[in-house]
Amino acid sequence: RCRPVTDITHAQMTGMFDIHTRKWDREILGWCGCELDWMPQVLDSLQVFAEVKVRGVDVSLITSSHDQYAAMRAAGVDAVGEFMLGTGTAWVLNGKSDQPLYDEKHFSIHPGRDLVGNDYGYIATMGALGQGFDRLLDRLGVSYEGLAGMEAEMTTMPVPRYAIEMDISSGSVSEETKSPLLSMRRYMESAGAQVRFLLEKLDKIHDAKKIVMTGGAASSGIWPAIVAGICNIPVEAVTFHEMTAYGAAVYARMAMGGETSSYNASEDQILRFEPFRVDEYNGWYQTRQRPILERKNENDR
């Protein structure tokens, strides 16, 4: 009987794997009612672990990877100060660090070992921001096709002078007016402020050099610019749907002795945004929005 095999990035997602010893944690397994021999063998580095034939073709089986780690590899997020912001149904911030990052009060950061070398990776969540925006659009009667045609006008709107309260569950923002444009822009700015607040919580804001933005919001012509302005960090928005699969393929090539590389998207799939209105956004964030986020952070304990 063959024992199942997994990789370290998937094993640590179970919460039953010790990322320091690189072994299944017997105490946690016992608490869960699991036996050690039930668990798969864990491969903690890139390697070819089996050679098989499939319909007469030789196939090498190579260490896999959790999707977020594969996407980070494809995005070229390898150095201190580089981040990947995934903007799907939920928004997550991913990065690498020389030590694991923990959030023992809120458990919103998932620390783990990277698949390559001795570095650590982390996945920090901001909640279902994408889902909330979908609900906002539904309530306003705006389609994504219609939104694209509105963005040029949205760019001329002023930076808010008041705090924005956001309710993700209903997809609403405070001070919501009858203007769909203003409501959508304020939602985007509130989300951008949450990215900055998370970078500050991680103590990474001062080292930040670049954010690679992927997912639905990356296709917007204004949302990445708002994130860049609020965070004062250049944003590279990538609409490359094969990002995760590409990262997995890069891992496979590395295991076979090939070189690493980041995504190979064409120029029309990449938009680069430099920070804008930085002083205005910083004043709003520091005096208006950050106090709200700090209060919410305290209440969530």
Side-chain angles (χ1 to χ4, degrees):
R1 189 177 97 184
C2 295
R3 185 177 183 183
V5 174
T6 190
D7 72 283
I8 195 170
T9 62
H10 276 105
Q12 61 205 13
M13 292 296 163
T14 66
M16 297 185 288
F17 188 82
D18 190 322
I19 61 177
H20 297 284
T21 64
R22 304 188 188 220
K23 296 179 180 178
W24 293 107
D25 189 293
R26 290 178 177 273
E27 184 177 350
I28 296 177
L29 289 176
W31 178 76
C32 295
C34 296
E35 299 291 339
L36 181 60
D37 60 5
W38 296 356
M39 312 309 292
Q41 176 186 353
V42 178
L43 304 179
D44 64 358
S45 63
L46 289 172
Q47 57 186 281
V48 178
F49 63 87
E51 299 280 0
V52 298
K53 278 190 177 292
V54 178
R55 296 185 178 180
V57 177
D58 292 329
V59 176
S60 300
L61 299 182
I62 297 169
T63 318
S64 182
S65 166
H66 183 263
D67 59 354
Q68 297 290 329
Y69 283 81
M72 275 192 276
R73 171 58 56 180
V77 174
D78 297 311
V80 173
E82 297 177 345
F83 308 93
M84 187 182 77
L85 177 63
T87 61
T89 299
W91 281 33
V92 291
L93 189 73
N94 304 271
K96 303 290 181 65
S97 59
D98 58 359
Q99 295 295 326
L101 300 181
Y102 296 97
D103 179 9
E104 308 218 358
K105 294 177 180 176
H106 305 93
F107 303 102
S108 62
I109 302 171
H110 196 292
R113 285 272 185 186
D114 193 10
L115 192 58
V116 179
N118 292 315
D119 288 339
Y120 293 85
Y122 57 85
I123 303 171
T125 180
M126 286 168 279
L129 289 173
Q131 186 179 66
F133 191 67
D134 287 343
R135 289 170 176 161
L136 175 64
L137 293 185
D138 286 343
R139 198 173 63 258
L140 296 174
V142 177
S143 66
Y144 274 98
E145 291 76 14
L147 172 62
M150 299 176 177
E151 288 190 338
E153 187 177 348
M154 291 171 65
T155 60
T156 64
M157 292 181 169
V159 171
R161 298 183 180 277
Y162 49 82
I164 303 171
E165 292 273 9
M166 175 198 287
D167 182 356
I168 296 176
S169 62
S170 63
S172 61
V173 291
S174 64
E175 301 294 330
E176 191 170 319
T177 69
K178 295 180 180 179
S179 165
L181 294 177
L182 186 59
S183 299
M184 291 184 288
R185 167 121 185 186
R186 294 305 181 238
Y187 190 101
M188 292 177 178
E189 286 162 330
S190 179
Q194 290 194 41
V195 176
R196 175 168 173 173
F197 187 71
L198 180 54
L199 284 167
E200 291 175 346
K201 276 182 62 179
L202 294 170
D203 197 26
K204 299 292 183 181
I205 191 75
H206 300 298
D207 299 326
K209 298 173 184 175
K210 178 179 73 172
I211 295 174
V212 178
M213 190 171 180
T214 66
S219 62
S220 167
I222 184 174
W223 213 338
I226 289 173
V227 173
I230 293 174
C231 297
N232 193 19
I233 305 169
V235 170
E236 192 173 274
V238 182
T239 52
F240 183 41
H241 301 304
E242 299 82 8
M243 180 77 82
T244 300
Y246 187 89
V250 169
Y251 274 142
R253 183 170 63 184
M254 292 172 66
M256 298 294 290
E259 296 180 358
T260 182
S261 66
S262 56
Y263 53 85
N264 190 26
S266 60
E267 282 301 309
D268 63 344
Q269 293 175 299
I270 306 172
L271 290 176
R272 296 176 176 87
F273 298 85
E274 293 297 323
F276 80 122
R277 296 185 181 178
V278 172
D279 291 340
E280 292 179 80
Y281 270 129
N282 185 57
W284 165 72
Y285 174 80
Q286 297 288 3
T287 62
R288 302 293 185 182
Q289 201 64 15
R290 184 178 179 181
I292 281 183
L293 294 172
E294 287 178 333
R295 185 173 67 248
K296 184 178 184 300
N297 189 61
E298 289 295 317
N299 292 339
D300 286 345
R301 288 187 179 183

